[in-house]
Amino acid sequence: MIDVYLHEDGEHYTGFHVEGHAGYADSGKDIVCSAVSALTITLENALRKLSDVQLIEFRYVKDRSPHIFIYMPDDKADLLVDMYRTGIEGIQEEYPDYVKLHLEI
């Protein structure tokens, strides 16, 4: 199961991280993992290139994916994260046994 976490402060998205593996297919052939990875990498790149926010990245021991915090979030960053959320929700709808979206306030 892939768990996608979006962090909010009630007004803006303040960060995100992804944990786990889908286990939908063998490594290298797992379309669910590929879809979530592609969306996540695109979000991080879009936040860096298309918004004015600063990203702070933390990697924890034994945690393969980074925890990304959005420093001083704004409406443009929220729009990008909303697009990501829409994509993750679509994957979750199609593959509910493999992807779970969590909103944390």
Side-chain angles (χ1 to χ4, degrees):
M1 171 73 75
I2 297 174
D3 291 293
V4 177
Y5 297 88
L6 295 179
H7 307 281
E8 300 177 276
D9 66 4
E11 188 175 332
H12 294 287
Y13 292 106
T14 58
F16 61 95
H17 72 280
V18 179
E19 296 178 355
H21 299 283
Y24 179 77
D26 291 338
S27 181
K29 297 180 181 182
D30 194 322
I31 61 171
V32 178
C33 276
S34 295
V36 171
S37 293
L39 285 174
T40 304
I41 291 166
T42 300
L43 173 60
E44 186 175 349
N45 289 336
L47 286 168
R48 290 186 194 283
K49 293 180 181 181
L50 303 175
S51 76
D52 297 323
V53 298
Q54 189 175 21
L55 300 183
I56 301 169
E57 182 177 319
F58 289 98
R59 291 190 182 268
Y60 298 98
V61 176
K62 296 184 182 180
D63 194 357
R64 293 184 56 169
S65 66
H67 294 241
I68 305 294
F69 296 93
I70 302 169
Y71 183 70
M72 303 210 32
D74 60 17
D75 291 340
K76 188 184 286 186
D78 286 343
L79 177 62
L80 294 171
V81 178
D82 272 334
M83 290 176 58
Y84 174 75
R85 178 178 174 176
T86 299
I88 295 296
E89 287 172 341
I91 297 168
Q92 178 181 252
E93 188 174 304
E94 287 294 317
Y95 301 95
D97 295 334
Y98 301 96
V99 176
K100 174 77 173 153
L101 176 64
H102 306 270
L103 301 176
E104 298 188 338
I105 297 176

